[in-house]
Amino acid sequence: MTTVEDALLTRRSCRAFLPTPVPRAEVERLLALAARSASNSNCQPWQVHVLTGAAKRALAEDLLRAHDAGRREAGEFDYQPCTDRWPEPFRSRRRGFGEGLYRDALGIPAGDSARRLEHHRRNYDFFGAPVGMILTVSRKPLLGALVDAGLFLQALMLAARGAGLHTCAQASLIDFHPVLRRHVSVPDDQVIVCGVALGLADDGHRLGAHRTAREPVSSFASFYGSEVGALT
């Protein structure tokens, strides 16, 4: 058994997976656990499309062709700014994440765009994970549905850690949403939120030890009231 605290402390965005298959029954169990997530008025606006084997390979090949041909498109809706429009402090945090991944963990300097692109391409094969998922939500209660999708994703990631598995949520896939729609049946009233890679981590990969920093509680939490330590 893994405690919730253990799952939170060991969860990471894994970018190197082993090809070891994950049984369908286990994937279904994890999704059933994630579906226990809270949602606004219990609307449960999420849909999940799970790809393995030949279906995942076909999608990955199509995504890579689209990527290499420069067929990137704007997402079906904007939930993050363009690369050059991130305000502070998020711009600095994002830059620090990129340098920590490429320069420090992978040893690729800023000027080596070819090697950085080579690693980025691995997004479109779900970093070698045996299971790829596409998460969608309803267009109708869209803003609330995105909050619900975040809760669902977190629950799925923590449930995966309880099973000894790892995940990586992938917003990069929505740049090729027409390709995704060719491979999975997404109703017109649903929009694509992100992809998710799921599997056993390749701890022998040089990214196996890579971890990202977190801001201290004092940087984002404000406390009100004078009763320190008083719980009634």
Side-chain angles (χ1 to χ4, degrees):
M1 296 291 292
T2 299
T3 67
V4 174
E5 183 173 355
D6 288 339
L8 284 165
L9 289 172
T10 61
R11 188 215 64 80
R12 59 186 172 90
S13 294
C14 181
R15 291 178 171 83
F17 291 87
L18 296 172
T20 310
V22 180
R24 174 171 173 168
E26 180 66 351
V27 177
E28 290 182 349
R29 187 183 74 85
L30 297 177
L31 291 173
L33 289 171
R36 300 300 306 169
S37 300
S39 62
N40 188 3
S41 301
N42 199 33
C43 287
Q44 304 172 68
W46 46 72
Q47 294 284 316
V48 183
H49 305 267
V50 183
L51 299 100
T52 60
K56 177 185 161 277
R57 287 194 296 273
L59 172 59
E61 290 168 1
D62 206 357
L63 285 168
L64 287 166
R65 281 193 295 269
H67 174 270
D68 294 345
R71 296 202 302 269
R72 178 178 277 105
E73 296 188 20
E76 296 180 300
F77 62 97
D78 293 326
Y79 66 77
Q80 59 183 4
C82 297
T83 301
D84 59 350
R85 294 183 179 176
W86 287 75
E88 293 294 351
F90 314 115
R91 179 192 293 266
S92 294
R93 292 176 187 171
R94 190 170 186 269
R95 185 184 301 113
F97 159 74
E99 289 309 301
L101 175 65
Y102 288 104
R103 182 193 62 204
D104 301 338
L106 291 170
I108 305 174
D112 195 341
S113 56
R115 287 179 62 202
R116 290 193 173 206
L117 179 61
E118 180 182 358
H119 173 76
H120 178 75
R121 288 180 83 253
R122 299 181 65 244
N123 272 280
Y124 305 109
D125 187 30
F126 296 90
F127 296 108
V131 180
M133 302 183 191
I134 307 300
L135 174 66
T136 71
V137 294
S138 172
R139 293 181 187 273
K140 306 233 168 97
L142 181 57
L143 293 180
L146 289 175
V147 174
D148 298 338
L151 293 170
F152 180 90
L153 277 170
Q154 180 77 323
L156 176 61
M157 294 171 177
L158 297 182
R161 289 303 303 126
L165 301 171
H166 274 286
T167 54
C168 185
Q170 298 173 267
S172 58
L173 298 190
I174 64 175
D175 291 341
F176 301 97
H177 54 91
V179 176
L180 300 179
R181 285 182 177 273
R182 285 201 296 270
H183 288 261
V184 298
S185 300
V186 180
D188 290 340
D189 66 346
Q190 295 265 316
V191 295
I192 297 169
V193 178
C194 67
V196 182
L198 170 73
L200 283 169
D202 181 0
D203 291 328
H205 193 280
R206 65 186 303 166
L207 286 176
H210 178 59
R211 300 293 184 273
T212 52
R214 291 295 183 271
E215 296 296 314
V217 171
S218 59
S219 73
F220 61 81
S222 299
F223 293 86
Y224 304 87
S226 59
E227 289 119 354
V228 177
L231 297 176
T232 59

